[in-house]
Amino acid sequence: MVLLAAVFTVALGLPVGVLLFLTRKNGILPNRTLATVLNTVVNVGRALPFVVLLIALIPFTRLLVGTTLGSTAAIVPITLGAFPFFARIVENALDEVDRGRIEAVVSMGGNLWHIVSRVLLPEALPALIAGITLTIVMLIGFSAMAGVVGGGGLGDLAIRYGYQRFDNQIMAATIVVLLVMVQVIQKIGDRIVRSLAYRR
């Protein structure tokens, strides 16, 4: 559930984040209308508590996947709840890229695709990987909360067999597994970021 949600979150959040960077007032391709729409979507998505979004998206989830129960259904609200967060991370990561490099590509006749694919994304890659790591850790928390509405996963296990049956051992085991997952993912992400920074 977390893996698929992470893939979809990056697939949605990356282009939205790039567009946020390109279309803002001082961007490479300023477009006030598009920038306003994208900023509104991202800000609303980040402002809504995930549990509220989870419940509000039940009709849309049922329409999209045919059910609101199980891990497959939970991927929909998890992705829609996380991609605005990742989009903002992408925008901030691209903001750190040296403007001189962008100007150099433009002076050599580079087009928008060259700027994005050969300057912005490669230069921002360590920050993007750090952002993906942070997002995956957040997705683990989201997936646990999805258990509240029958989303499956560790959250469902903790609620159904731990909380509802008053089994503290299952609750404790679930917490330990979640902590281990977060620690492992964070260490892997940090190692990749350090490796990329060292190569630069």
Side-chain angles (χ1 to χ4, degrees):
M1 177 168 37
V2 171
L3 179 62
L4 286 175
V7 170
F8 292 133
T9 297
V10 172
L12 284 173
L14 185 61
V16 171
V18 171
L19 284 173
L20 281 169
F21 176 78
L22 295 175
T23 59
R24 60 189 183 178
K25 187 177 180 180
N26 60 341
I28 300 166
L29 197 68
N31 185 319
R32 185 176 180 181
T33 302
L34 183 56
T36 301
V37 171
L38 290 175
N39 270 299
T40 302
V41 170
V42 168
N43 289 337
V44 169
R46 292 175 64 206
L48 285 175
F50 179 66
V51 174
V52 174
L53 185 67
L54 191 66
I55 296 168
L57 286 174
I58 284 176
F60 178 71
T61 302
R62 184 181 292 111
L63 179 67
L64 198 63
V65 298
T67 182
T68 58
L69 301 175
S71 300
T72 303
I75 290 171
V76 176
I78 290 173
T79 300
L80 293 178
F83 95 84
F85 173 80
F86 182 66
R88 194 64 77 188
I89 287 177
V90 172
E91 182 190 14
N92 292 335
L94 297 180
D95 204 27
E96 296 175 8
V97 176
D98 185 5
R99 284 275 179 173
R101 294 181 181 272
I102 299 172
E103 292 168 2
V105 172
V106 172
S107 67
M108 290 186 290
N111 57 28
L112 186 61
W113 172 250
H114 292 140
I115 293 171
V116 173
S117 63
R118 298 184 184 179
V119 179
L120 291 177
L121 294 181
E123 289 294 319
L125 189 57
L128 291 175
I129 296 297
I132 290 172
T133 303
L134 183 63
T135 303
I136 291 174
V137 170
M138 185 182 70
L139 289 174
I140 292 173
F142 280 7
S143 68
M145 281 189 278
V148 173
V149 293
L154 289 172
D156 186 55
L157 176 70
I159 291 169
R160 187 178 301 181
Y161 297 100
Y163 176 73
Q164 292 180 351
R165 298 186 182 183
F166 304 101
D167 192 331
N168 292 329
Q169 289 184 341
I170 290 180
M171 288 291 291
T174 305
I175 292 169
V176 169
V177 171
L178 288 169
L179 289 174
V180 170
M181 286 175 65
V182 168
Q183 289 295 323
V184 169
I185 289 169
Q186 190 65 56
K187 285 191 174 184
I188 292 172
D190 290 345
R191 182 168 295 182
I192 294 172
V193 170
R194 284 196 300 268
S195 174
L196 290 171
Y198 177 76
R199 290 177 185 177
R200 296 173 66 192

